[in-house]
Amino acid sequence: MIARYTHPEMGRIWSDQRRYESWLVVEIAAVEAMAAAGIVPVEAARDIRERGAFDIPRIEAIEETTQHDVVAFTTAVAEHVGPSARWLHFGMTSSDVIDTAQALQMREACDVILKDLEELSETVHDRAIQHRHTPMIGRTHGVHAQPITFGLKLALWYTEIGRDADRVRRARTTVSVGKLSGAVGTFAYLPPEIEQNVCSRLGLQPEPVASQVVQRDRHAELVAALAITAASLEKFALEIRGLQKTEIGEVEEPFGKGQKGSSAMPHKRNPIGCEQICGLARLIRANCQAAFENIALWHERDISHSSVERVILPDSFIALDHMLRRFTRIVRGMEVHAERMRENLNRSRGVVFSGGVLLELARKGVSREQAYEWVQRNAMLSYAEQRDFKDLLLTDTDVQSVLSRAEIERAFDLREQLKHVDDIFERVFGRTDNAETAEFVNSVRAQRSVR
């Protein structure tokens, strides 16, 4: 596992200790369900519940000989239980325990990711409200297009984070299944009622039909949801990286006191947090491919998926948990240079308002083709001679023959370009009062401690 990035909460879920604890939870639930059904003695279930314990070094020592982790585990537990241990793991196969217990771990890990997403969503919401009306240039193909606001960019992120959370929630439901149907899924030694009982005790749904294992399309869906979430974070982080370029300089990720950007260049303030997020997203996407490969197993089961899952599940969850926590800190502390945004908006000398001029001409009866030719030639002249686009239009005889100065000025009105920002924000966030909400966000939430 990528231990460097492991937060204690997520690390505990994927620790050997929690894995064996989850196995023991399933074993105890199974023997108690069997005792209730009269399959095993009630006293045996009581002994296993009260005395069942394990010691990891002992399990590992036994596994050196058995070369089988579940056999090593049950043997180690049996040493604590005593004679009643003959009823431990009764009628079950290893995957009954492993898959059911792993569902508990995946469900718990999803809950951590959902909590992370909720905090990121709230943080992005706060900054979006703060910068709802902070104008900047929108870029398509990396080239100045039309004005937007920085808040709109963040509102876009906010909605995508919501979809990411929906996908994780759906995947959480998909993997929250257990099975105790035996070596080939036929319930040869235990009736379906035992599986139903155990799953009810554990808050899981029984797998309607299984082979020896829960089918791995479920796990692939989960890892895909994690990979898409990571890709969203990469998209957001890449945007900050782009806006932090020296020649753009509109946004910067936080740079702490005493932080160093380069061993050789003391002036550097590099977006290393965002770069790390972009890199880790690649790792999770690669894990997603491995999860897809795990779907196809020989006949009723082989173990080619098992070794893979021991890596991709912990690593994907741990990496994404780290990415979400780090990006939340980045968004909360990022520096937004509104003056530079305005400066860059004006850098292209007004050509970004060409679309408005085109429409004004069309309203006056000029054909679209003719209007486009007039507007484009002035835009190209603005580029070539570095002259103000509006000034060129005001001296163009063709344009002047159709449009008044006031009509040209209207086409360059930034407020007109951004008049529906509040409508978009109401769609995304519901009705909010711009001034009061922004003041509240700035004065209260900005003081919230960094997680």
Side-chain angles (χ1 to χ4, degrees), residues 63-106:
E63 190 176 355
E64 286 291 325
T65 300
T66 64
Q67 295 296 299
H68 194 293
D69 53 357
V70 176
V71 171
F73 168 76
T74 55
T75 301
V77 172
E79 292 175 350
H80 289 271
V81 172
S84 293
R86 66 193 180 95
W87 300 105
L88 179 70
H89 203 68
F90 186 80
M92 299 165 63
T93 192
S94 298
S95 292
D96 290 338
V97 178
I98 293 172
D99 283 7
T100 305
Q102 188 166 262
L104 301 177
Q105 290 176 279
M106 291 187 293

mmCIF file of all heavy atoms in Angstrom, residues 63-106:
data_model
loop_
_atom_site.group_PDB
_atom_site.id
_atom_site.type_symbol
_atom_site.label_atom_id
_atom_site.label_comp_id
_atom_site.label_asym_id
_atom_site.label_seq_id
_atom_site.Cartn_x
_atom_site.Cartn_y
_atom_site.Cartn_z
ATOM 1 N N GLU A 63 0.547 -19.720 8.639
ATOM 2 C CA GLU A 63 0.443 -19.613 7.180
ATOM 3 C C GLU A 63 1.746 -19.999 6.490
ATOM 4 O O GLU A 63 1.732 -20.434 5.326
ATOM 5 C CB GLU A 63 0.037 -18.184 6.786
ATOM 6 C CG GLU A 63 -0.331 -18.056 5.316
ATOM 7 C CD GLU A 63 -0.821 -16.668 4.956
ATOM 8 O OE1 GLU A 63 -0.973 -15.809 5.849
ATOM 9 O OE2 GLU A 63 -1.042 -16.442 3.746
ATOM 10 N N GLU A 64 2.866 -19.858 7.197
ATOM 11 C CA GLU A 64 4.134 -20.296 6.622
ATOM 12 C C GLU A 64 4.073 -21.766 6.237
ATOM 13 O O GLU A 64 4.684 -22.210 5.262
ATOM 14 C CB GLU A 64 5.274 -20.062 7.622
ATOM 15 C CG GLU A 64 5.690 -18.610 7.783
ATOM 16 C CD GLU A 64 6.373 -18.078 6.543
ATOM 17 O OE1 GLU A 64 7.102 -18.857 5.891
ATOM 18 O OE2 GLU A 64 6.169 -16.896 6.210
ATOM 19 N N THR A 65 3.320 -22.530 7.002
ATOM 20 C CA THR A 65 3.177 -23.968 6.729
ATOM 21 C C THR A 65 2.001 -24.253 5.822
ATOM 22 O O THR A 65 2.109 -24.975 4.830
ATOM 23 C CB THR A 65 3.004 -24.745 8.047
ATOM 24 O OG1 THR A 65 4.147 -24.530 8.871
ATOM 25 C CG2 THR A 65 2.822 -26.238 7.774
ATOM 26 N N THR A 66 0.822 -23.675 6.153
ATOM 27 C CA THR A 66 -0.405 -24.001 5.417
ATOM 28 C C THR A 66 -0.453 -23.385 4.027
ATOM 29 O O THR A 66 -1.127 -23.915 3.131
ATOM 30 C CB THR A 66 -1.641 -23.531 6.190
ATOM 31 O OG1 THR A 66 -1.615 -22.090 6.291
ATOM 32 C CG2 THR A 66 -1.694 -24.151 7.582
ATOM 33 N N GLN A 67 0.233 -22.233 3.863
ATOM 34 C CA GLN A 67 0.150 -21.482 2.605
ATOM 35 C C GLN A 67 -1.300 -21.163 2.248
ATOM 36 O O GLN A 67 -1.677 -21.105 1.070
ATOM 37 C CB GLN A 67 0.831 -22.256 1.462
ATOM 38 C CG GLN A 67 2.328 -22.427 1.642
ATOM 39 C CD GLN A 67 3.077 -21.093 1.624
ATOM 40 O OE1 GLN A 67 3.049 -20.366 0.640
ATOM 41 N NE2 GLN A 67 3.737 -20.774 2.743
ATOM 42 N N HIS A 68 -2.115 -20.948 3.290
ATOM 43 C CA HIS A 68 -3.532 -20.642 3.097
ATOM 44 C C HIS A 68 -3.948 -19.722 4.231
ATOM 45 O O HIS A 68 -3.957 -20.124 5.398
ATOM 46 C CB HIS A 68 -4.354 -21.935 3.105
ATOM 47 C CG HIS A 68 -5.761 -21.755 2.589
ATOM 48 N ND1 HIS A 68 -6.706 -21.016 3.241
ATOM 49 C CD2 HIS A 68 -6.363 -22.244 1.473
ATOM 50 C CE1 HIS A 68 -7.841 -21.036 2.560
ATOM 51 N NE2 HIS A 68 -7.651 -21.780 1.468
ATOM 52 N N ASP A 69 -4.305 -18.503 3.898
ATOM 53 C CA ASP A 69 -4.539 -17.511 4.944
ATOM 54 C C ASP A 69 -5.770 -17.802 5.791
ATOM 55 O O ASP A 69 -5.752 -17.604 7.014
ATOM 56 C CB ASP A 69 -4.619 -16.103 4.354
ATOM 57 C CG ASP A 69 -5.623 -15.974 3.217
ATOM 58 O OD1 ASP A 69 -6.237 -16.984 2.820
ATOM 59 O OD2 ASP A 69 -5.783 -14.841 2.703
ATOM 60 N N VAL A 70 -6.857 -18.273 5.177
ATOM 61 C CA VAL A 70 -8.068 -18.518 5.961
ATOM 62 C C VAL A 70 -7.871 -19.725 6.879
ATOM 63 O O VAL A 70 -8.307 -19.716 8.038
ATOM 64 C CB VAL A 70 -9.292 -18.709 5.044
ATOM 65 C CG1 VAL A 70 -10.532 -19.068 5.880
ATOM 66 C CG2 VAL A 70 -9.550 -17.434 4.241
ATOM 67 N N VAL A 71 -7.210 -20.765 6.375
ATOM 68 C CA VAL A 71 -6.925 -21.922 7.243
ATOM 69 C C VAL A 71 -6.039 -21.491 8.409
ATOM 70 O O VAL A 71 -6.266 -21.887 9.563
ATOM 71 C CB VAL A 71 -6.246 -23.046 6.430
ATOM 72 C CG1 VAL A 71 -5.755 -24.152 7.378
ATOM 73 C CG2 VAL A 71 -7.209 -23.620 5.401
ATOM 74 N N ALA A 72 -5.042 -20.664 8.130
ATOM 75 C CA ALA A 72 -4.180 -20.162 9.203
ATOM 76 C C ALA A 72 -4.985 -19.365 10.216
ATOM 77 O O ALA A 72 -4.790 -19.481 11.437
ATOM 78 C CB ALA A 72 -3.062 -19.312 8.618
ATOM 79 N N PHE A 73 -5.919 -18.545 9.715
ATOM 80 C CA PHE A 73 -6.755 -17.735 10.598
ATOM 81 C C PHE A 73 -7.652 -18.604 11.478
ATOM 82 O O PHE A 73 -7.706 -18.428 12.706
ATOM 83 C CB PHE A 73 -7.616 -16.795 9.748
ATOM 84 C CG PHE A 73 -8.712 -16.104 10.502
ATOM 85 C CD1 PHE A 73 -8.441 -15.036 11.341
ATOM 86 C CD2 PHE A 73 -10.036 -16.534 10.377
ATOM 87 C CE1 PHE A 73 -9.466 -14.403 12.041
ATOM 88 C CE2 PHE A 73 -11.060 -15.909 11.062
ATOM 89 C CZ PHE A 73 -10.774 -14.847 11.899
ATOM 90 N N THR A 74 -8.368 -19.543 10.870
ATOM 91 C CA THR A 74 -9.274 -20.369 11.657
ATOM 92 C C THR A 74 -8.506 -21.241 12.655
ATOM 93 O O THR A 74 -8.978 -21.485 13.772
ATOM 94 C CB THR A 74 -10.143 -21.262 10.751
ATOM 95 O OG1 THR A 74 -9.312 -22.049 9.897
ATOM 96 C CG2 THR A 74 -11.085 -20.409 9.908
ATOM 97 N N THR A 75 -7.328 -21.685 12.277
ATOM 98 C CA THR A 75 -6.500 -22.465 13.196
ATOM 99 C C THR A 75 -6.086 -21.625 14.396
ATOM 100 O O THR A 75 -6.136 -22.078 15.552
ATOM 101 C CB THR A 75 -5.252 -23.008 12.479
ATOM 102 O OG1 THR A 75 -5.663 -23.828 11.376
ATOM 103 C CG2 THR A 75 -4.395 -23.824 13.425
ATOM 104 N N ALA A 76 -5.677 -20.380 14.139
ATOM 105 C CA ALA A 76 -5.259 -19.489 15.222
ATOM 106 C C ALA A 76 -6.434 -19.164 16.145
ATOM 107 O O ALA A 76 -6.279 -19.124 17.373
ATOM 108 C CB ALA A 76 -4.664 -18.213 14.639
ATOM 109 N N VAL A 77 -7.613 -18.935 15.570
ATOM 110 C CA VAL A 77 -8.795 -18.652 16.392
ATOM 111 C C VAL A 77 -9.173 -19.875 17.217
ATOM 112 O O VAL A 77 -9.527 -19.773 18.402
ATOM 113 C CB VAL A 77 -9.976 -18.200 15.507
ATOM 114 C CG1 VAL A 77 -11.256 -18.087 16.345
ATOM 115 C CG2 VAL A 77 -9.666 -16.870 14.835
ATOM 116 N N ALA A 78 -9.087 -21.052 16.604
ATOM 117 C CA ALA A 78 -9.439 -22.295 17.292
ATOM 118 C C ALA A 78 -8.591 -22.500 18.543
ATOM 119 O O ALA A 78 -9.066 -23.054 19.549
ATOM 120 C CB ALA A 78 -9.295 -23.476 16.343
ATOM 121 N N GLU A 79 -7.350 -22.076 18.511
ATOM 122 C CA GLU A 79 -6.472 -22.215 19.672
ATOM 123 C C GLU A 79 -7.002 -21.431 20.871
ATOM 124 O O GLU A 79 -6.763 -21.817 22.019
ATOM 125 C CB GLU A 79 -5.064 -21.753 19.315
ATOM 126 C CG GLU A 79 -4.363 -22.672 18.315
ATOM 127 C CD GLU A 79 -3.007 -22.146 17.863
ATOM 128 O OE1 GLU A 79 -2.689 -20.971 18.181
ATOM 129 O OE2 GLU A 79 -2.262 -22.902 17.204
ATOM 130 N N HIS A 80 -7.726 -20.366 20.616
ATOM 131 C CA HIS A 80 -8.318 -19.574 21.689
ATOM 132 C C HIS A 80 -9.658 -20.150 22.142
ATOM 133 O O HIS A 80 -10.012 -20.062 23.323
ATOM 134 C CB HIS A 80 -8.534 -18.122 21.237
ATOM 135 C CG HIS A 80 -7.279 -17.328 21.072
ATOM 136 N ND1 HIS A 80 -6.703 -16.613 22.088
ATOM 137 C CD2 HIS A 80 -6.474 -17.154 19.983
ATOM 138 C CE1 HIS A 80 -5.605 -16.012 21.645
ATOM 139 N NE2 HIS A 80 -5.440 -16.340 20.362
ATOM 140 N N VAL A 81 -10.395 -20.737 21.203
ATOM 141 C CA VAL A 81 -11.759 -21.180 21.501
ATOM 142 C C VAL A 81 -11.785 -22.506 22.247
ATOM 143 O O VAL A 81 -12.574 -22.716 23.176
ATOM 144 C CB VAL A 81 -12.578 -21.278 20.193
ATOM 145 C CG1 VAL A 81 -13.939 -21.932 20.458
ATOM 146 C CG2 VAL A 81 -12.743 -19.888 19.582
ATOM 147 N N GLY A 82 -10.946 -23.436 21.858
ATOM 148 C CA GLY A 82 -10.967 -24.757 22.477
ATOM 149 C C GLY A 82 -11.842 -25.728 21.707
ATOM 150 O O GLY A 82 -12.059 -25.569 20.498
ATOM 151 N N PRO A 83 -12.398 -26.750 22.375
ATOM 152 C CA PRO A 83 -13.138 -27.822 21.690
ATOM 153 C C PRO A 83 -14.292 -27.344 20.821
ATOM 154 O O PRO A 83 -14.588 -27.952 19.780
ATOM 155 C CB PRO A 83 -13.641 -28.689 22.851
ATOM 156 C CG PRO A 83 -12.660 -28.444 23.953
ATOM 157 C CD PRO A 83 -12.254 -27.014 23.822
ATOM 158 N N SER A 84 -14.955 -26.274 21.223
ATOM 159 C CA SER A 84 -16.098 -25.787 20.432
ATOM 160 C C SER A 84 -15.689 -25.276 19.059
ATOM 161 O O SER A 84 -16.540 -25.037 18.189
ATOM 162 C CB SER A 84 -16.831 -24.673 21.183
ATOM 163 O OG SER A 84 -17.452 -25.163 22.343
ATOM 164 N N ALA A 85 -14.392 -25.121 18.844
ATOM 165 C CA ALA A 85 -13.919 -24.603 17.565
ATOM 166 C C ALA A 85 -14.203 -25.549 16.410
ATOM 167 O O ALA A 85 -14.066 -25.158 15.251
ATOM 168 C CB ALA A 85 -12.418 -24.316 17.648
ATOM 169 N N ARG A 86 -14.584 -26.792 16.698
ATOM 170 C CA ARG A 86 -14.916 -27.689 15.589
ATOM 171 C C ARG A 86 -16.139 -27.192 14.818
ATOM 172 O O ARG A 86 -16.387 -27.623 13.693
ATOM 173 C CB ARG A 86 -15.133 -29.112 16.084
ATOM 174 C CG ARG A 86 -16.329 -29.339 16.975
ATOM 175 C CD ARG A 86 -16.233 -30.714 17.639
ATOM 176 N NE ARG A 86 -17.357 -31.010 18.532
ATOM 177 C CZ ARG A 86 -18.441 -31.691 18.155
ATOM 178 N NH1 ARG A 86 -18.525 -32.154 16.924
ATOM 179 N NH2 ARG A 86 -19.409 -31.920 19.017
ATOM 180 N N TRP A 87 -16.913 -26.289 15.453
ATOM 181 C CA TRP A 87 -18.072 -25.720 14.777
ATOM 182 C C TRP A 87 -17.748 -24.394 14.083
ATOM 183 O O TRP A 87 -18.593 -23.814 13.412
ATOM 184 C CB TRP A 87 -19.215 -25.503 15.779
ATOM 185 C CG TRP A 87 -19.652 -26.769 16.437
ATOM 186 C CD1 TRP A 87 -19.398 -27.183 17.711
ATOM 187 C CD2 TRP A 87 -20.427 -27.802 15.827
ATOM 188 N NE1 TRP A 87 -19.948 -28.413 17.955
ATOM 189 C CE2 TRP A 87 -20.596 -28.820 16.795
ATOM 190 C CE3 TRP A 87 -20.995 -28.002 14.551
ATOM 191 C CZ2 TRP A 87 -21.309 -29.988 16.543
ATOM 192 C CZ3 TRP A 87 -21.719 -29.160 14.310
ATOM 193 C CH2 TRP A 87 -21.865 -30.140 15.294
ATOM 194 N N LEU A 88 -16.526 -23.914 14.261
ATOM 195 C CA LEU A 88 -16.100 -22.688 13.572
ATOM 196 C C LEU A 88 -15.948 -22.977 12.082
ATOM 197 O O LEU A 88 -15.392 -23.993 11.687
ATOM 198 C CB LEU A 88 -14.754 -22.219 14.155
ATOM 199 C CG LEU A 88 -14.121 -20.954 13.549
ATOM 200 C CD1 LEU A 88 -14.927 -19.717 13.919
ATOM 201 C CD2 LEU A 88 -12.668 -20.812 14.036
ATOM 202 N N HIS A 89 -16.452 -22.086 11.237
ATOM 203 C CA HIS A 89 -16.327 -22.213 9.789
ATOM 204 C C HIS A 89 -17.094 -23.436 9.265
ATOM 205 O O HIS A 89 -16.797 -23.960 8.190
ATOM 206 C CB HIS A 89 -14.834 -22.313 9.409
ATOM 207 C CG HIS A 89 -14.524 -21.902 7.988
ATOM 208 N ND1 HIS A 89 -14.624 -20.622 7.527
ATOM 209 C CD2 HIS A 89 -14.091 -22.649 6.922
ATOM 210 C CE1 HIS A 89 -14.273 -20.580 6.249
ATOM 211 N NE2 HIS A 89 -13.950 -21.796 5.854
ATOM 212 N N PHE A 90 -18.079 -23.871 10.021
ATOM 213 C CA PHE A 90 -18.813 -25.096 9.685
ATOM 214 C C PHE A 90 -19.610 -24.894 8.390
ATOM 215 O O PHE A 90 -20.411 -23.970 8.263
ATOM 216 C CB PHE A 90 -19.761 -25.462 10.829
ATOM 217 C CG PHE A 90 -20.445 -26.780 10.652
ATOM 218 C CD1 PHE A 90 -19.790 -27.975 10.952
ATOM 219 C CD2 PHE A 90 -21.754 -26.856 10.186
ATOM 220 C CE1 PHE A 90 -20.427 -29.196 10.797
ATOM 221 C CE2 PHE A 90 -22.395 -28.071 10.024
ATOM 222 C CZ PHE A 90 -21.728 -29.244 10.333
ATOM 223 N N GLY A 91 -19.400 -25.796 7.423
ATOM 224 C CA GLY A 91 -20.140 -25.762 6.160
ATOM 225 C C GLY A 91 -19.781 -24.617 5.239
ATOM 226 O O GLY A 91 -20.457 -24.405 4.218
ATOM 227 N N MET A 92 -18.719 -23.886 5.564
ATOM 228 C CA MET A 92 -18.376 -22.687 4.794
ATOM 229 C C MET A 92 -17.108 -22.904 3.978
ATOM 230 O O MET A 92 -16.300 -23.773 4.294
ATOM 231 C CB MET A 92 -18.186 -21.481 5.738
ATOM 232 C CG MET A 92 -19.441 -21.129 6.524
ATOM 233 S SD MET A 92 -19.108 -20.011 7.916
ATOM 234 C CE MET A 92 -18.517 -18.573 7.045
ATOM 235 N N THR A 93 -16.960 -22.090 2.939
ATOM 236 C CA THR A 93 -15.708 -22.044 2.181
ATOM 237 C C THR A 93 -15.025 -20.708 2.433
ATOM 238 O O THR A 93 -15.647 -19.765 2.937
ATOM 239 C CB THR A 93 -15.966 -22.246 0.672
ATOM 240 O OG1 THR A 93 -14.733 -22.484 0.008
ATOM 241 C CG2 THR A 93 -16.661 -21.044 0.062
ATOM 242 N N SER A 94 -13.772 -20.628 2.079
ATOM 243 C CA SER A 94 -12.992 -19.425 2.397
ATOM 244 C C SER A 94 -13.629 -18.159 1.851
ATOM 245 O O SER A 94 -13.683 -17.117 2.526
ATOM 246 C CB SER A 94 -11.576 -19.554 1.848
ATOM 247 O OG SER A 94 -10.897 -20.634 2.442
ATOM 248 N N SER A 95 -14.127 -18.208 0.620
ATOM 249 C CA SER A 95 -14.685 -17.000 0.014
ATOM 250 C C SER A 95 -15.961 -16.544 0.694
ATOM 251 O O SER A 95 -16.329 -15.356 0.588
ATOM 252 C CB SER A 95 -14.928 -17.222 -1.483
ATOM 253 O OG SER A 95 -13.701 -17.351 -2.166
ATOM 254 N N ASP A 96 -16.673 -17.450 1.365
ATOM 255 C CA ASP A 96 -17.826 -17.025 2.153
ATOM 256 C C ASP A 96 -17.396 -15.984 3.184
ATOM 257 O O ASP A 96 -18.087 -14.990 3.419
ATOM 258 C CB ASP A 96 -18.464 -18.222 2.870
ATOM 259 C CG ASP A 96 -19.166 -19.186 1.919
ATOM 260 O OD1 ASP A 96 -19.525 -18.762 0.803
ATOM 261 O OD2 ASP A 96 -19.340 -20.357 2.298
ATOM 262 N N VAL A 97 -16.256 -16.227 3.777
ATOM 263 C CA VAL A 97 -15.735 -15.306 4.790
ATOM 264 C C VAL A 97 -15.088 -14.099 4.137
ATOM 265 O O VAL A 97 -15.385 -12.944 4.472
ATOM 266 C CB VAL A 97 -14.716 -16.029 5.696
ATOM 267 C CG1 VAL A 97 -14.134 -15.067 6.721
ATOM 268 C CG2 VAL A 97 -15.363 -17.224 6.380
ATOM 269 N N ILE A 98 -14.190 -14.342 3.196
ATOM 270 C CA ILE A 98 -13.402 -13.259 2.611
ATOM 271 C C ILE A 98 -14.300 -12.246 1.905
ATOM 272 O O ILE A 98 -14.187 -11.032 2.125
ATOM 273 C CB ILE A 98 -12.355 -13.823 1.638
ATOM 274 C CG1 ILE A 98 -11.302 -14.640 2.393
ATOM 275 C CG2 ILE A 98 -11.689 -12.703 0.847
ATOM 276 C CD1 ILE A 98 -10.346 -15.387 1.481
ATOM 277 N N ASP A 99 -15.187 -12.721 1.041
ATOM 278 C CA ASP A 99 -16.002 -11.787 0.265
ATOM 279 C C ASP A 99 -16.986 -11.029 1.132
ATOM 280 O O ASP A 99 -17.226 -9.830 0.929
ATOM 281 C CB ASP A 99 -16.741 -12.534 -0.846
ATOM 282 C CG ASP A 99 -15.835 -12.862 -2.020
ATOM 283 O OD1 ASP A 99 -14.611 -12.635 -1.904
ATOM 284 O OD2 ASP A 99 -16.340 -13.343 -3.048
ATOM 285 N N THR A 100 -17.573 -11.700 2.084
ATOM 286 C CA THR A 100 -18.531 -11.026 2.964
ATOM 287 C C THR A 100 -17.822 -10.000 3.840
ATOM 288 O O THR A 100 -18.303 -8.870 4.019
ATOM 289 C CB THR A 100 -19.277 -12.054 3.822
ATOM 290 O OG1 THR A 100 -19.888 -13.030 2.966
ATOM 291 C CG2 THR A 100 -20.362 -11.391 4.660
ATOM 292 N N ALA A 101 -16.668 -10.387 4.378
ATOM 293 C CA ALA A 101 -15.912 -9.448 5.210
ATOM 294 C C ALA A 101 -15.384 -8.281 4.393
ATOM 295 O O ALA A 101 -15.382 -7.128 4.852
ATOM 296 C CB ALA A 101 -14.755 -10.180 5.897
ATOM 297 N N GLN A 102 -14.948 -8.554 3.171
ATOM 298 C CA GLN A 102 -14.429 -7.483 2.328
ATOM 299 C C GLN A 102 -15.520 -6.478 1.983
ATOM 300 O O GLN A 102 -15.252 -5.279 1.835
ATOM 301 C CB GLN A 102 -13.828 -8.067 1.053
ATOM 302 C CG GLN A 102 -13.094 -7.053 0.196
ATOM 303 C CD GLN A 102 -12.230 -7.711 -0.853
ATOM 304 O OE1 GLN A 102 -11.022 -7.881 -0.676
ATOM 305 N NE2 GLN A 102 -12.843 -8.105 -1.955
ATOM 306 N N ALA A 103 -16.760 -6.952 1.882
ATOM 307 C CA ALA A 103 -17.878 -6.035 1.658
ATOM 308 C C ALA A 103 -18.003 -5.050 2.817
ATOM 309 O O ALA A 103 -18.292 -3.864 2.608
ATOM 310 C CB ALA A 103 -19.177 -6.817 1.486
ATOM 311 N N LEU A 104 -17.780 -5.524 4.034
ATOM 312 C CA LEU A 104 -17.825 -4.633 5.192
ATOM 313 C C LEU A 104 -16.729 -3.573 5.102
ATOM 314 O O LEU A 104 -16.962 -2.393 5.410
ATOM 315 C CB LEU A 104 -17.670 -5.438 6.484
ATOM 316 C CG LEU A 104 -18.713 -6.523 6.755
ATOM 317 C CD1 LEU A 104 -18.378 -7.274 8.043
ATOM 318 C CD2 LEU A 104 -20.111 -5.923 6.837
ATOM 319 N N GLN A 105 -15.536 -3.977 4.696
ATOM 320 C CA GLN A 105 -14.433 -3.031 4.576
ATOM 321 C C GLN A 105 -14.696 -2.016 3.457
ATOM 322 O O GLN A 105 -14.457 -0.818 3.634
ATOM 323 C CB GLN A 105 -13.121 -3.773 4.291
ATOM 324 C CG GLN A 105 -12.597 -4.591 5.453
ATOM 325 C CD GLN A 105 -11.351 -5.373 5.060
ATOM 326 O OE1 GLN A 105 -11.445 -6.434 4.446
ATOM 327 N NE2 GLN A 105 -10.191 -4.833 5.401
ATOM 328 N N MET A 106 -15.172 -2.499 2.302
ATOM 329 C CA MET A 106 -15.428 -1.590 1.199
ATOM 330 C C MET A 106 -16.525 -0.600 1.555
ATOM 331 O O MET A 106 -16.434 0.589 1.219
ATOM 332 C CB MET A 106 -15.802 -2.379 -0.060
ATOM 333 C CG MET A 106 -14.650 -3.180 -0.653
ATOM 334 S SD MET A 106 -15.034 -3.954 -2.252
ATOM 335 C CE MET A 106 -16.262 -5.172 -1.777
#
